Amino acid sequence: MKDKSIGGGNTTMLILRLIENEDMYGYQMIDALEKKSNHVFALKAGTLYPILHGLEQQEMITAYDGVSEEGRQRRYYQITKKGRKLLDEKKKEWETYASAIKNVMGGISYAEV
Amino acid sequence: MKDKSIGGGNTTMLILRLIENEDMYGYQMIDALEKKSNHVFALKAGTLYPILHGLEQQEMITAYDGVSEEGRQRRYYQITKKGRKLLDEKKKEWETYASAIKNVMGGISYAEV
DNA sequence: ATATTATATATAGATGATCGATATATGTCA
DNA sequence: TGACATATATCGATCATCTATATATAATAT
């Protein structure tokens, strides 16, 4: 995984999280992710837009043309009910994954099954 | 990232961690990883061996032929000083990554820079 | 003694996620 | 007017990992 790359198949989860409470347009997501991650993640436009289009096709999000606070035409994305369900699943997967890494790295061992 | 796949570019870190305190042979690593991860990770032989050969070439590990506790010929792998340094780096990268995900998912925000 | 199965090591090709490069259009600022 | 930042978009390349496959040995069952 390269420096500042998001990797690990978590990009979709992060995008859905960003628009969980607020509709956003593409570039706004890139900025928000950079800030919230404290400059660890630098999501590329070339990664973002194909994912947004895919999520739209799967009805995880819907898109509409709107006007930004500065009065400019922007393409906004809104999470759907289906998308919230997917976000929940991805969250659980991440927790399982992170906890497994912790177990291996910390050396916690379980009874053999 | 598929179910039970390790992904995220963390396989090398996990392998190095496994042999940090004890030399191991390939299949032993697969078993150890499955147990320590509480059955979350199922490392595939087809993933493991190419990584081991790569780490050997980069002098992160050394290999030698030994005899297992059951008296069988096995190919053992031992971490080198260089490998321990790499493990430390990978650990730090993981911590940075996991903490960034946490920040985004939990909604912690930082002052804009 | 022989067949079957589990263990072990290994490699090649396929897949999938993400990046880098590039294209295009619009709005802002000097 | 020209340069630059913002914004959306697509395509090909790259990299990690998986699947499938091959091969060998040892253990177990017949």
Side-chain angles (χ1 to χ4, degrees), chain A residues 5-7 9 11 44 47:
Chain A
S5 152
I6 297 181
T11 310
K44 302 301 153 66
T47 306

Side-chain angles (χ1 to χ4, degrees), chain B residues 1-108:
Chain B
M1 198 158 52
K2 216 175 276 183
D3 192 40
K4 300 230 170 183
S5 151
I6 298 181
N10 292 307
T11 310
T12 295
M13 173 180 78
L14 294 171
I15 291 171
L16 290 175
R17 172 66 185 94
L18 288 177
I19 57 171
E20 195 183 1
N21 300 313
E22 177 195 356
D23 297 357
M24 284 192 183
Y25 59 90
Y27 244 68
Q28 194 183 356
M29 297 180 201
I30 291 175
D31 285 348
L33 192 56
E34 168 136 32
K35 276 183 191 153
K36 292 210 179 200
S37 75
N38 206 21
H39 310 285
V40 173
F41 299 139
L43 176 60
K44 301 303 154 61
T47 306
L48 174 62
Y49 289 104
I51 291 178
L52 288 177
H53 301 155
L55 287 173
E56 200 184 347
Q57 280 206 321
Q58 299 165 67
E59 297 179 298
M60 301 300 176
I61 60 179
T62 52
Y64 61 92
D65 292 310
V67 179
S68 74
E69 285 175 21
E70 309 96 35
R72 308 213 208 130
Q73 272 288 324
R74 293 287 173 255
R75 186 129 186 100
Y76 281 88
Y77 295 90
Q78 181 171 41
I79 193 168
T80 63
K81 194 165 287 186
K82 206 172 158 189
R84 287 180 196 277
K85 222 176 121 186
L86 179 63
L87 175 56
D88 269 5
E89 279 165 31
K90 296 261 178 202
K91 270 185 202 170
K92 273 175 203 147
E93 276 171 32
W94 164 254
E95 275 152 31
T96 301
Y97 181 85
S99 136
I101 294 267
K102 209 175 169 183
N103 288 346
V104 176
M105 297 309 292
I108 295 167

